[in-house]
Amino acid sequence: MSGNTFGKLFTVTTFGESHGPALGAIVDGCPPGLPLTEADLQRDLDRRRPGTSRHTTQRREPDRVKILSGVFEGVTTGTAIGLLIENTDQRSKDYGNIKDQFRPAHADYSYHHKYGVRDYRGGGRSSARETAMRVAAGAIAKQYLASQGIAVRGYMSQLGPIEIDFQSWEAVGENAFFCPDPERVAELEAYMDQLRRDQDSVGAKITVVAEGVPPGLGEPVFDRLDAELAHGLMSINAVKGVEIGDGFASVAQRGSEHRDEMTPEGFLSNHAGGVLGGISSGQAIVAHLALKPTSSITTPGRSIDVHGNPVEVITKGRHDPCVGIRATPIAEAMMALTLMDHLLRHRAQNADVSVATPVLR
Amino acid sequence: MSGNTFGKLFTVTTFGESHGPALGAIVDGCPPGLPLTEADLQRDLDRRRPGTSRHTTQRREPDRVKILSGVFEGVTTGTAIGLLIENTDQRSKDYGNIKDQFRPAHADYSYHHKYGVRDYRGGGRSSARETAMRVAAGAIAKQYLASQGIAVRGYMSQLGPIEIDFQSWEAVGENAFFCPDPERVAELEAYMDQLRRDQDSVGAKITVVAEGVPPGLGEPVFDRLDAELAHGLMSINAVKGVEIGDGFASVAQRGSEHRDEMTPEGFLSNHAGGVLGGISSGQAIVAHLALKPTSSITTPGRSIDVHGNPVEVITKGRHDPCVGIRATPIAEAMMALTLMDHLLRHRAQNADVSVATPVLR
Amino acid sequence: MSGNTFGKLFTVTTFGESHGPALGAIVDGCPPGLPLTEADLQRDLDRRRPGTSRHTTQRREPDRVKILSGVFEGVTTGTAIGLLIENTDQRSKDYGNIKDQFRPAHADYSYHHKYGVRDYRGGGRSSARETAMRVAAGAIAKQYLASQGIAVRGYMSQLGPIEIDFQSWEAVGENAFFCPDPERVAELEAYMDQLRRDQDSVGAKITVVAEGVPPGLGEPVFDRLDAELAHGLMSINAVKGVEIGDGFASVAQRGSEHRDEMTPEGFLSNHAGGVLGGISSGQAIVAHLALKPTSSITTPGRSIDVHGNPVEVITKGRHDPCVGIRATPIAEAMMALTLMDHLLRHRAQNADVSVATPVLR
Amino acid sequence: MSGNTFGKLFTVTTFGESHGPALGAIVDGCPPGLPLTEADLQRDLDRRRPGTSRHTTQRREPDRVKILSGVFEGVTTGTAIGLLIENTDQRSKDYGNIKDQFRPAHADYSYHHKYGVRDYRGGGRSSARETAMRVAAGAIAKQYLASQGIAVRGYMSQLGPIEIDFQSWEAVGENAFFCPDPERVAELEAYMDQLRRDQDSVGAKITVVAEGVPPGLGEPVFDRLDAELAHGLMSINAVKGVEIGDGFASVAQRGSEHRDEMTPEGFLSNHAGGVLGGISSGQAIVAHLALKPTSSITTPGRSIDVHGNPVEVITKGRHDPCVGIRATPIAEAMMALTLMDHLLRHRAQNADVSVATPVLR
């Protein structure tokens, strides 16, 4: 209820501050009998890990995850899975001035009003560091989904002003940007290099796609699959917008253009992004998310302190100039967690259902 | 769990099909002592009601709501509030052909795969008719929020290709489009008249704004206020995208531009849309939503039947050529329900908190 | 969250006051395709209905239930099922003195402190009248459970000082007490006649049994099947104690006596009441519940009014001298709802599980 | 949903197997600003810890708890509190025969049918070892409740056939049995010594009392305070019965005897156990729970193996001959968690309520 849990049947509850001793999660509801090792989780954690290129924060966290329960002799037992990542790169530093000041566009000011107290070291609970546990938990969901023929993958579709067309999944894995077009990577690198010289940051757009999803996932009327995806994706730090399928482009479309016609050979288009009436249609689920530019820049900004006095704030430290660059594995995790939860929810109520109607793709 | 409930502390559970005997809702968790009458709910229901202009469906439903419990001697008692709207305009008609066919871009196909059976009359549970109960429940939330100085209002910010700038709240109430600029209304009417002649439909964009929200609402990390708003707004029929504040425009922004600086006199901008780190900042909460063009058009479309055979479908009946026109009260309701829920959630945990720091707007 | 919902996957949300216009419920999560009519619900409602013998309250409510949604062409559709019972026997009477006084051992005093306001007519929300909706919802659960070979039945095992041994299920249906021994009915009638003459009330003990439950239902560690049964049964008005299997008799037992040994032919005893480690074992689930004597008696009692002044209270009206007499269908309903919920919860996570080990009974 | 979470606003989610690397919990929803140290949790953990007298298991676990998040500079921050206890006394032993056999009256058989796989070492998740995390989390609840003037304490009220009257809280803390009568301790010791010689086990009855609870806690109709207490207490390993107030004794009582009359000086009795209509009355909350004799005895018992073949089972190892002896801190924890949750739930909805009526005790 205090927001540290995601999902209803396949649930993930997390804890941990950026500068505390550890991050952790409890994954509950995982079906028993699923082969699972720490290496399965580490793969995605390594994709999210900071410090792997010059374009992300130079903070170095190995993000080594341990499975503390719920797995026995290499398979899940159906009981709660405890996960732990110890924080190692906690530089001792002087937080004296940050303690009583609010960094503009950070959570400092809103957390202060909410709780009265806060762990001001590196953002505490509001730090994007918590997303490490999302990725670890998401990897468990991905593992089960894969066993059902469902693949969840994402890529960067825009960096600042640079729009990127999808070329191939292979390309995505071969650069630090999750860029799906190998010919655009040099342009992205040049842009980022200039950005750092400008001491500024920039936003990004990420696209996530789930293929192989059976028709029928999602619950009318409030827990439609698209509504739950929007919830999960918007809960990622810095996300300011979510689209399913054509999203905001639908506003200017006509019905005769938007509707995805069907033939026995399949759907003729996928403007809907794989969701009809809030329920998966069997087509690929497609979502886009907008990430704002991080506010942790060294250009001074106007703000106030806890007493209401004006101050000038410079956010030093090791920050990502574009948080979107490392966001792809996080977005994949949130989509995987949402689909996993809905797979179980659908199964609970509708396990007996079988129809003769063919599944279109 | 099957998706008919919204909220965690202030909860709304609804039932009802478009062509069944009635729609209903149970609103749970309302604070006691709130003055409430059926007329308070009817006001918003009348704003959403079909058949009030030539630009919406000509189906005529009075949508007369009854309060069956939870209110005694004019005030809420704190117990569950039962609401009921009887359906009256259920034309008997021949559903023979629609029964076994899937209308393109409707929920027919996905519901069929989910449940095996479905109430095919007018969309059944997937009909936008269910949103009447959202509006009724939202009116209760608005009533309480108003008592706390919080106002939730919306307007149409784009109709098809026509973008509309906000001019005044007064204008919004004076036309059938919830258009905030009186000088654009004639243009909208002309567009809609042409659309009907084209036998087509179109999308729309709605903007919802909450003013007077105290800082501190929203729960890290998964139930951020923006994530929950995205959930609620995306759960409305036909919505394909949700933005908070600058939304997708943030992608191309720089951090030095996006961050909302603070001075003792207040925030200098509101790119964030009133949410920092997932927690309300005290500024106006601003959300935009994209509604797709309805698929219920009389232009024939290709589809299949339950046996997988190709069919041609024409959707007759009385449909809205732009579902966005009546969506403003629904969007307001979902934002009000979300804020109401978070007000109670915040209060539960943080009732003891008080800070000396001034609230900026 | 405000307590008007029971269950997590198969959920029942109710509303209604004893003297309001109607009672209602929304049953969510019911599997689609289940044959269901109003008559299926009415059967159990008639078993609970007041005024059927001289030993229960003479208030006459037909308790005629309507299904408003979620059932189409005779089968459930998987969407929310709306239920409604209109109140008809609301005698207008003078509540002048009851309004500001607290009847001893009633909810008046605690509700007053909780909410500040309350519907004082006949107990309002705290009246046992709300249990009608539990019975209606429970009948849906029973219908599905029956399709899976599970039967839930109850009987009166003690009335005041009179303990009753189980003789047959046939006997239970043939008297107004749900007494399983036909030879004890005359004794019960004589006891009740004397009780009325004494203007007093008395407690009762009810036993509920579920047969045919598969092994595996219940969730470690907090939502054990016995814990959830205790929750459901203790939530019934007037219940003060719940036992599973041998219950409090286990305190004085030794392990060598209590443990239910197993052979290939089955369990040798059922001290556990069908639950091992919180999970159903395949044996009959057996629960007992203690109901207190109703406090609505005409013998004057000492109390206070809302100002703290001493008053003498006499509870007039039409009340059950032993609320336990009509409690059997309610207890069955709560056990059925609990099992139904756990059947779906188990299925969600463990649908893939199959073991070769035989099921013992 | 898979049962590893307790509470709705103040929630505890736990993980951990008896022979895994660690136990853990996440406590969510704790109000910020509460002073909290690891020592505050350790106190109750030490009261539950095994191996402190010859009457409990000789397994030696220091049960040293670490706080990993949610506490900063000595006070809670309002964010999720991560707790960890590492397992240290995991004797390597041969589980060869236990692996495929079901110990009678243990969870082995029901877990096997539920999950197909299980961690058979020492009971895995079904081991009472998980209750350590309940005690740790309960200590946080107790800390907050104490700040509100609420004290939760328990004692042993019966050991096997020996009933114990309450004499003083001081006595409870001075012996290994939580026995409230110092003059009975020698008798209990003699009984236990004989029991060990008999190679048998026995049940016990525990009583838990909460004083200082304000009137108004509990939610009609399904989440009454007594129903939620029953849930929490029955979820403790080995518990087979729960009573509130007079419990099963109410069955034979008359209304004129059971009802607790009120005067301006206070209630005249407390048969109700502090709960009226499911809502706290302001009197002491009193609950009793029955614990069965543990099934882990060295006397051979008949059972089957996973193939359905008959086997003879002897449960060796270090087990408590009366699990009730260490159950008092666990019962206190579950009552504290339940009250804490309801305190927040009540506050969320009814923060505005204030009445002039005096609070009776």
Side-chain angles (χ1 to χ4, degrees), chain B residues 182-222:
Chain B
E183 304 194 358
R184 307 296 294 279
V185 175
E187 188 183 351
L188 300 179
E189 292 189 326
Y191 183 86
M192 290 302 298
D193 288 339
Q194 181 59 44
L195 189 68
R196 270 199 308 282
R197 282 191 293 272
D198 296 346
Q199 303 197 359
D200 217 333
S201 62
V202 81
K205 182 173 162 186
I206 304 294
T207 298
V208 207
V209 179
E211 289 165 305
V213 178
L217 306 196
E219 301 296 331
V221 297
F222 295 111

Side-chain angles (χ1 to χ4, degrees), chain B residues 63-357:
Chain B
D63 283 354
R64 191 63 53 190
V65 69
K66 280 188 246 173
I67 298 178
L68 298 179
S69 69
V71 176
F72 182 60
E73 297 182 338
V75 299
T76 56
T77 60
T79 60
I81 301 173
L83 303 177
L84 197 78
I85 293 176
E86 289 178 59
N87 284 331
T88 57
D89 187 16
Q90 308 158 41
R91 290 201 190 163
S92 77
K93 81 173 205 192
D94 179 14
Y95 290 99
N97 61 340
I98 212 174
K99 183 179 170 179
D100 290 334
Q101 297 184 354
F102 305 121
R103 293 168 298 169
H106 274 84
D108 301 349
Y109 176 79
S110 51
Y111 268 60
H112 175 76
H113 273 286
K114 183 173 191 65
Y115 296 122
V117 294
R118 68 190 162 91
D119 179 350
Y120 45 77
R121 301 165 306 168
R125 185 62 175 155
S126 73
S127 163
R129 181 135 185 73
E130 58 88 358
T131 58
M133 293 317 309
R134 301 181 185 226
V135 170
I140 301 177
K142 280 184 179 178
Q143 184 98 335
Y144 187 82
L145 293 173
S147 78
Q148 309 289 308
I150 301 169
V152 179
R153 294 180 291 194
Y155 59 88
M156 175 179 277
S157 41
Q158 188 173 342
L159 175 74
I162 308 170
E163 298 183 32
I164 308 161
D165 285 335
F166 180 81
Q167 297 300 332
S168 80
W169 288 116
E170 289 66 36
V172 172
E174 289 167 355
N175 63 80
F177 297 94
F178 300 89
C179 170
D181 182 353
E183 304 194 358
R184 307 296 294 279
V185 175
E187 188 183 351
L188 300 179
E189 292 189 326
Y191 183 86
M192 290 302 298
D193 288 339
Q194 181 59 44
L195 189 68
R196 270 199 308 282
R197 282 191 293 272
D198 296 346
Q199 303 197 359
D200 217 333
S201 62
V202 81
K205 182 173 162 186
I206 304 294
T207 298
V208 207
V209 179
E211 289 165 305
V213 178
L217 306 196
E219 301 296 331
V221 297
F222 295 111
D223 291 351
R224 291 161 196 253
L225 188 58
D226 39 9
E228 296 261 73
L229 282 170
H231 185 153
L233 295 171
M234 192 72 94
S235 80
I236 300 172
N237 304 48
V239 173
K240 303 301 289 181
V242 175
E243 296 179 314
I244 306 296
D246 284 2
F248 280 88
S250 311
V251 171
Q253 290 172 351
R254 293 214 163 186
S256 53
E257 171 192 4
H258 182 92
R259 64 175 171 179
D260 301 310
E261 293 180 294
M262 295 177 273
T263 74
E265 288 70 43
F267 287 89
L268 296 177
S269 54
N270 188 10
H271 296 286
V275 183
L276 292 176
I279 315 291
S280 65
S281 66
Q283 286 199 284
I285 311 279
V286 182
H288 310 284
L289 44 159
L291 290 104
K292 70 172 186 178
T294 177
S295 311
S296 300
I297 54 178
T298 48
T299 310
R302 277 176 289 179
S303 190
I304 63 167
D305 65 16
V306 295
H307 310 295
N309 302 316
V311 294
E312 189 183 79
V313 174
I314 298 175
T315 307
K316 290 180 184 161
R318 299 158 291 165
H319 298 288
D320 284 284
C322 174
V323 291
I325 293 179
R326 296 199 287 130
T328 294
I330 307 168
E332 290 174 3
M334 294 315 296
M335 185 179 268
L337 291 172
T338 304
L339 291 173
M340 182 70 201
D341 191 41
H342 275 279
L343 193 71
L344 299 189
R345 290 167 74 174
H346 174 64
R347 181 184 288 176
Q349 187 183 11
N350 303 310
D352 308 328
V353 172
S354 91
V355 297
T357 309

Side-chain angles (χ1 to χ4, degrees), chain C residues 1-3 109-110 112 114 198 200 216 220 222 224 235 240 254 256 261 272 276 302 306 345 357 360, chain D residues 1-3 109-110 112 114 198 200 216 220 222 224 235 240 244 254 256 261 272 276 302 306 345 357 360:
Chain C
M1 196 57 52
S2 289
Y109 176 79
S110 51
H112 175 75
K114 183 172 191 66
D198 296 346
D200 217 332
F222 295 112
R224 290 160 198 254
S235 80
K240 301 303 288 181
R254 293 215 162 184
S256 54
E261 292 180 293
L276 292 176
R302 277 176 290 179
V306 295
R345 290 167 76 173
T357 309
L360 306 181
Chain D
M1 197 58 52
S2 290
Y109 176 79
S110 50
H112 174 76
K114 183 172 192 65
D198 296 345
D200 216 333
F222 295 112
R224 292 161 195 254
S235 80
K240 301 302 288 182
I244 305 295
R254 292 212 164 187
S256 53
E261 293 180 294
L276 292 176
R302 278 176 289 179
V306 295
R345 289 167 75 174
T357 309
L360 307 181

Side-chain angles (χ1 to χ4, degrees), chain D residues 225-257:
Chain D
L225 188 57
D226 39 9
E228 296 260 73
L229 282 169
H231 186 153
L233 296 171
M234 191 74 94
S235 80
I236 300 171
N237 304 48
V239 173
K240 301 302 288 182
V242 176
E243 296 179 314
I244 305 295
D246 284 2
F248 279 88
S250 311
V251 171
Q253 290 171 352
R254 292 212 164 187
S256 53
E257 171 191 4

Side-chain angles (χ1 to χ4, degrees), chain C residues 1-6 8 12 14 102-107 109-116 125 130 134 158 160 191 195 198 200-205 215-216 218-224 226-228 230-231 234-235 237 240-244 247-248 250-256 258-264 267-268 272 275-277 279-281 288-295 297 299-308 310 334 345-346 349-350 353 355 357-360, chain D residues 1-6 8 12 14 102-107 109-116 125 130 134 158 160 191 195 198 200-205 215-216 218-224 226-228 230-231 234-235 237 239-244 247-248 250-256 258-264 267-268 272 275-277 279-281 288-295 297 299-308 310 334 345-346 349-350 353 355 357-360:
Chain C
M1 196 57 52
S2 289
N4 295 292
T5 297
F6 189 78
K8 294 197 170 164
V12 181
T14 72
F102 305 121
R103 292 168 297 169
H106 274 84
Y109 176 79
S110 51
Y111 267 62
H112 175 75
H113 274 285
K114 183 172 191 66
Y115 296 121
R125 185 60 174 154
E130 57 88 357
R134 301 183 185 225
Q158 189 174 343
Y191 184 87
L195 189 68
D198 296 346
D200 217 332
S201 63
V202 80
K205 183 173 162 186
E219 301 294 331
V221 296
F222 295 112
D223 290 351
R224 290 160 198 254
D226 38 9
E228 296 261 74
H231 186 153
M234 192 72 95
S235 80
N237 303 49
K240 301 303 288 181
V242 175
E243 296 179 313
I244 306 295
F248 280 88
S250 311
V251 171
Q253 289 172 352
R254 293 215 162 184
S256 54
H258 181 90
R259 64 176 172 179
D260 301 310
E261 292 180 293
M262 295 178 272
T263 73
F267 286 89
L268 297 178
V275 184
L276 292 176
I279 314 292
S280 65
S281 66
H288 310 283
L289 44 157
L291 290 104
K292 70 172 185 176
T294 177
S295 311
I297 55 178
T299 310
R302 277 176 290 179
S303 189
I304 63 168
D305 65 15
V306 295
H307 310 295
M334 295 314 296
R345 290 167 76 173
H346 174 65
Q349 187 182 13
N350 303 310
V353 173
V355 296
T357 309
V359 171
L360 306 181
Chain D
M1 197 58 52
S2 290
N4 295 292
T5 298
F6 188 78
K8 294 196 171 167
V12 181
T14 72
F102 305 120
R103 293 167 297 168
H106 274 85
Y109 176 79
S110 50
Y111 268 62
H112 174 76
H113 274 285
K114 183 172 192 65
Y115 296 122
R125 185 61 174 154
E130 56 88 357
R134 301 182 185 227
Q158 189 174 342
Y191 184 87
L195 189 69
D198 296 345
D200 216 333
S201 62
V202 81
K205 183 172 162 186
E219 300 296 331
V221 298
F222 295 112
D223 290 352
R224 292 161 195 254
D226 39 9
E228 296 260 73
H231 186 153
M234 191 74 94
S235 80
N237 304 48
V239 173
K240 301 302 288 182
V242 176
E243 296 179 314
I244 305 295
F248 279 88
S250 311
V251 171
Q253 290 171 352
R254 292 212 164 187
S256 53
H258 180 91
R259 65 176 172 178
D260 302 311
E261 293 180 294
M262 295 178 271
T263 74
F267 285 90
L268 296 178
V275 183
L276 292 176
I279 315 291
S280 66
S281 67
H288 310 284
L289 44 159
L291 289 105
K292 70 171 187 178
T294 177
S295 311
I297 54 179
T299 310
R302 278 176 289 179
S303 189
I304 63 169
D305 66 15
V306 295
H307 310 294
M334 294 315 296
R345 289 167 75 174
H346 174 65
Q349 188 183 12
N350 303 310
V353 172
V355 296
T357 309
V359 171
L360 307 181

Side-chain angles (χ1 to χ4, degrees), chain D residues 54-55 156 159-165 177 179 181-195 197:
Chain D
R54 72 179 183 275
H55 307 298
M156 175 179 278
L159 175 74
I162 308 170
E163 298 183 33
I164 307 161
D165 286 335
F177 298 94
C179 170
D181 181 353
E183 304 196 359
R184 307 295 295 279
V185 174
E187 187 182 352
L188 299 180
E189 293 189 325
Y191 184 87
M192 290 303 297
D193 288 339
Q194 181 59 44
L195 189 69
R197 282 192 292 272

